[in-house]
Amino acid sequence: MSPWYTRNMPFFFLTFFFPPLALLLLVWRWDKFTTDRGIKLFFTVGMTLFIVFGLLPRWSLPIVLPIIFGLIVLKLILNGIKRKTG
């Protein structure tokens, strides 16, 4: 059974109110999202870009963007290590 946050409506509200958190959740728990991953990823990235570039002050971009992308890269590195070790 999939977790509650992978269903369409809870994930929509999570993405609408906390887009960066939803993006990190989607990337971090990619294997839990079995259906509509592409649509959810597209919507989450779009909302995150809207929040980061549209609503946050310009001085916060050098702080927020490296944190988001750093966590995504960390997850990809951990996935690569997990695949190599078995």
Side-chain angles (χ1 to χ4, degrees):
M1 184 166 176
S2 62
W4 65 271
Y5 56 82
T6 61
R7 294 185 209 124
N8 288 336
M9 202 49 102
F11 190 76
F12 170 77
F13 283 114
L14 183 67
T15 302
F16 189 75
F17 291 113
F18 307 105
L21 177 66
L23 179 63
L24 292 174
L25 182 69
L26 180 66
V27 171
W28 201 261
R29 307 287 283 175
W30 184 257
D31 55 336
K32 298 291 182 188
F33 290 87
T34 55
T35 59
D36 300 331
R37 283 191 275 199
I39 295 169
K40 289 178 180 175
L41 182 64
F42 177 77
F43 183 66
T44 307
V45 167
M47 288 298 292
T48 301
L49 290 176
F50 172 71
I51 292 293
V52 169
F53 289 112
L55 299 179
L56 290 179
R58 296 289 179 218
W59 59 265
S60 67
L61 290 178
I63 299 168
V64 172
L65 289 178
I67 290 172
I68 291 172
F69 291 121
L71 289 172
I72 291 171
V73 168
L74 176 67
K75 174 60 178 171
L76 294 174
I77 290 171
L78 290 174
N79 280 350
I81 291 171
K82 188 167 72 170
R83 284 187 193 145
K84 286 184 181 180
T85 59

